[in-house]
Amino acid sequence: MYKFDSLSIFYSPFVSSYELRELIFLFKFSDQLHGIVCLDGSLPGYHFEKGFGSGSNKWVIHIEGGGWCNTIESCSYRSRTALGSSKFMDRQVIFAGMLSRDPSQNPDFYNWNRIKIRYCDGASLAGHPESENGTKLFFRGQLIWEAIMDELLSMGMAKAKQAFLTGCSAGGLATLIHCDDFRHLLPKYTTVKCLADAGFFLDEKDVGGHYTMRSFYQDVLLLQGVDKSLHKNCVSKTDPSQCLFPREIIKNTRTPIFLVHPGYDFWQIRNILVPDVSDPSGHWRKCRQGLQYCNSTQIEILQGFRTSLLNALDEFKQNKEGGYFINSCFIHCQTWFSPTWHSPSSPRINNKTIAESVGDWYFDRQEVKQIDCPYPCNPTCHNMDFAQH
């Protein structure tokens, strides 16, 4: 079973200098964009590589992940990092995985127009300025989304033959929130689909019996007015914070969606199932670092968490246009770097990589509804081991 650390992407043999792409600030139409800013008031940005050949009129967009902030204090802290201010963003990022231009690493999308949207609003591109209430912070995520879409449309996306909105983690949630809007921005003849990578966050009790994630999402929604970006059909019928969970979002989404998700998402295990506050004695400390350190009782609880994921997907499984690749790995995002997206050592289900499975689904080559057997059955998994670092 392959093990890797969070820095392996930067030292991977799959990455070369020509994959680096410059940060582009949202300067275009600057008069109209007044006030469309990150948490700290700096300009938002994205990275872009122009498509070529048969991909010149096809577009794939990836929204960066990075969690959320749920209080003035946490958003203030975030505004002094790359997840809240472009002042701290790397000026170049690696285009790997599904953004790679190498057909051996990205067989279906290598020559498309490829964009990475940087994430700097703290609310999955769904915050609203009416909620700022005199703070020194800027809650402009929805406006950032709209402005970047306007810019991309003006650059040629308005005539796209095919378009694919994707995102990782909080960017995966942003993808689900904005998926139907993305469809509506483009011509009817454009094939439009969406993919959320490790973005299917669960509304489950932690090991202490508390709905930690539910409470957290309520705070994010109230702080930044996120309900204004959610499906009105959901918000009118239930607690708006429930409408921020993907299980509810996909019920109201009409555009085809693909879910790439690990059965043992380390972020969700460490923040939803076993957040620090739920384990004051440190009983789960080793297990949270890697599944190989868990005892039999902990593994049983983790298997129950995986079952909760599969149960939450019950309705989506009946969606004829939807697809999914649910492997049994202890990892988080898997589409944005090549070792897990498409390589000789990539995770596989039924001998297909994530890239092959996503391509089969996007281009309607075949139905893709893949659910892996439970841990530890899949030797191709890339499993994080936090104890090594």
Side-chain angles (χ1 to χ4, degrees), residues 289-309:
Q289 295 177 327
L291 298 188
Q292 69 270 35
Y293 306 117
C294 302
N295 61 41
S296 58
T297 301
Q298 291 168 331
I299 288 292
E300 185 176 349
I301 292 171
L302 293 173
Q303 301 293 23
F305 193 63
R306 172 181 174 271
T307 299
S308 295
L309 166 66

Side-chain angles (χ1 to χ4, degrees), residues 226-275:
V226 172
D227 57 299
K228 298 182 185 70
S229 292
L230 302 177
H231 284 281
K232 292 179 175 59
N233 186 48
C234 181
V235 172
S236 66
K237 294 179 179 178
T238 188
D239 176 355
S241 65
Q242 282 294 305
C243 304
L244 194 49
F245 283 100
R247 181 177 186 171
E248 298 302 320
I249 295 174
I250 61 178
K251 288 179 183 179
N252 294 284
T253 303
R254 298 293 171 257
T255 309
I257 291 171
F258 193 93
L259 301 174
V260 175
H261 206 85
Y264 309 89
D265 182 332
F266 72 70
W267 191 95
Q268 296 203 45
I269 289 171
R270 293 159 65 93
N271 292 277
I272 296 179
L273 181 64
V274 196

Side-chain angles (χ1 to χ4, degrees), residues 87-100:
K87 295 176 184 176
F88 301 98
M89 292 178 184
D90 291 334
R91 291 306 187 256
Q92 293 182 319
V93 298
I94 295 165
F95 267 26
M98 72 182 308
L99 294 180
S100 173

Side-chain angles (χ1 to χ4, degrees), residues 219-389:
D219 291 342
V220 173
L221 183 139
L222 291 172
L223 181 66
Q224 294 215 35
V226 172
D227 57 299
K228 298 182 185 70
S229 292
L230 302 177
H231 284 281
K232 292 179 175 59
N233 186 48
C234 181
V235 172
S236 66
K237 294 179 179 178
T238 188
D239 176 355
S241 65
Q242 282 294 305
C243 304
L244 194 49
F245 283 100
R247 181 177 186 171
E248 298 302 320
I249 295 174
I250 61 178
K251 288 179 183 179
N252 294 284
T253 303
R254 298 293 171 257
T255 309
I257 291 171
F258 193 93
L259 301 174
V260 175
H261 206 85
Y264 309 89
D265 182 332
F266 72 70
W267 191 95
Q268 296 203 45
I269 289 171
R270 293 159 65 93
N271 292 277
I272 296 179
L273 181 64
V274 196
D276 289 334
V277 69
S278 72
D279 186 38
S281 64
H283 179 64
W284 282 82
R285 184 179 64 83
K286 288 293 290 181
C287 182
R288 291 169 86 244
Q289 295 177 327
L291 298 188
Q292 69 270 35
Y293 306 117
C294 302
N295 61 41
S296 58
T297 301
Q298 291 168 331
I299 288 292
E300 185 176 349
I301 292 171
L302 293 173
Q303 301 293 23
F305 193 63
R306 172 181 174 271
T307 299
S308 295
L309 166 66
L310 300 183
N311 289 341
L313 290 171
D314 275 346
E315 188 171 330
F316 183 65
K317 292 174 189 175
Q318 310 308 314
N319 185 324
K320 292 182 179 180
E321 291 189 312
Y324 43 84
F325 185 101
I326 313 294
N327 59 18
S328 292
C329 308
F330 183 66
I331 194 169
H332 190 42
C333 296
Q334 300 178 85
T335 62
W336 60 269
F337 66 112
S338 298
T340 50
W341 172 246
H342 188 71
S343 75
S345 64
S346 286
R348 284 168 166 77
I349 301 178
N350 293 329
N351 205 35
K352 289 220 170 182
T353 65
I354 296 171
E356 290 169 330
S357 300
V358 171
D360 285 345
W361 171 79
Y362 186 92
F363 297 103
D364 297 321
R365 295 193 288 250
Q366 65 181 66
E367 182 180 78
V368 180
K369 296 190 174 182
Q370 301 281 14
I371 297 179
D372 210 353
C373 47
Y375 174 87
C377 73
N378 191 337
T380 68
C381 274
H382 289 223
N383 289 324
M384 285 292 286
D385 184 353
F386 292 97
Q388 300 299 315
H389 305 281

